[in-house]
Amino acid sequence: MSRKILVVEDDRTTADYIVKGLVEAGYNVDRADNGRDGFFLASDGSYDVVVLDRMLPQLDGLAVLAALRAASIETPVIILSALGTADDRITGLTGGADDYLVKPFVFAELLARLQRLARRGNAPAAVETRLVCADLELDLLARRVKRGSMTVALQPLEFRLLEFLMRHPDQVVTRTMVLEGVWDYHFDPGTNIIDVHVSRLRRKIDAGFDKPLLHTVRGAGYRFGPEV
């Protein structure tokens, strides 16, 4: 049976784009263009995933989310928003969202995240506030990184780069993916900006440890995780 998705998005162009892609991927999709209608539809708990904008007319996305959780509706929710600072994302996640994707976005990434949430079914999902890989731990709320017993001090951009890599463990991430996911660049700036920041991050998290976690995949990009 096809998965059932609710898209709550007031921008018609964006909503059309998402709905078209989801229908092509085999989903049954309903849509609402304001928060009040979105809450009304989502409150029956019949959807596998809700894609929720934050800045909505009549009732903003966070209010919709809070009302759903207050009513014990545990449908997985992915926030899709132009509000993309770390504080914005933390507010969304701690407000009850299961995932948070910043606009502009790549549809393939939205689909991948949505599929992951849909597989959970309607089971209650823990809010992800901590990422762990081997002996490296990244605390999204405390903005703290530790490897083993050592605290690692990172600059904000390094923290964001590490978070992006840890959200794709043991996957080859291309330079294009890194530019989109970390810098929000949808073009090649033609600089060595990635090399510089990856080099700095590698020195901070891998120097002095026997087993490096950040690997360069020649001709492809980077992979994060223990050596296979």
Side-chain angles (χ1 to χ4, degrees), residues 1-220:
M1 190 173 71
S2 297
R3 298 285 191 179
K4 191 176 174 186
I5 310 296
L6 174 63
V7 175
V8 188
E9 169 65 64
D10 65 324
D11 182 80
R12 179 174 296 181
T13 301
T14 302
D16 287 346
Y17 176 65
I18 296 171
V19 170
K20 180 175 182 293
L22 292 177
V23 170
E24 289 175 348
Y27 289 94
N28 290 322
V29 185
D30 291 331
R31 60 193 284 181
D33 61 6
N34 65 76
R36 193 173 301 278
D37 289 348
F39 173 71
F40 176 77
L41 290 171
S43 60
D44 69 1
S46 66
Y47 292 95
D48 292 288
V49 180
V50 175
V51 180
L52 180 66
D53 188 14
R54 279 188 60 171
M55 295 181 289
L56 293 166
Q58 300 189 29
L59 193 65
D60 71 69
L62 290 182
V64 172
L65 183 58
L68 290 174
R69 298 307 186 229
S72 299
I73 304 298
E74 299 296 340
T75 304
V77 172
I78 177 170
I79 290 179
L80 184 63
S81 176
L83 302 175
T85 68
D87 286 342
D88 291 328
R89 286 179 282 140
I90 291 170
T91 298
L93 292 170
T94 55
D98 300 84
D99 201 352
Y100 197 114
L101 184 61
V102 177
K103 298 174 183 174
F105 62 98
V106 176
F107 180 78
E109 183 178 4
L110 171 63
L111 182 61
R113 293 184 181 216
L114 188 146
Q115 289 170 333
R116 178 174 61 84
L117 291 178
R119 284 195 295 269
R120 293 183 185 174
N122 292 324
V127 175
E128 188 174 51
T129 60
R130 194 168 67 100
L131 302 176
V132 177
C133 181
D135 58 350
L136 181 71
E137 176 182 325
L138 183 148
D139 188 324
L140 291 165
L141 294 181
R143 309 289 293 174
R144 181 174 57 227
V145 176
K146 293 182 67 175
R147 180 151 192 198
S149 59
M150 185 182 76
T151 298
V152 181
L154 296 181
Q155 296 297 316
L157 196 54
E158 295 165 349
F159 189 94
R160 190 173 175 183
L161 175 59
L162 179 60
E163 177 187 349
F164 179 81
L165 293 169
M166 292 184 74
R167 288 190 183 279
H168 299 80
D170 293 322
Q171 301 174 24
V172 175
V173 294
T174 66
R175 296 172 67 86
T176 299
M177 291 169 66
V178 173
L179 283 171
E180 286 187 350
V182 180
W183 277 269
D184 289 334
Y185 286 176
H186 296 269
F187 60 95
D188 186 349
T191 70
N192 64 344
I193 185 172
I194 295 179
D195 305 282
V196 170
H197 283 85
V198 165
S199 177
R200 289 176 182 168
L201 181 61
R202 179 178 279 131
R203 283 200 301 271
K204 291 187 177 183
I205 63 172
D206 279 344
F209 290 89
D210 294 334
K211 298 179 180 178
L213 296 175
L214 178 50
H215 310 277
T216 297
V217 181
R218 188 177 299 276

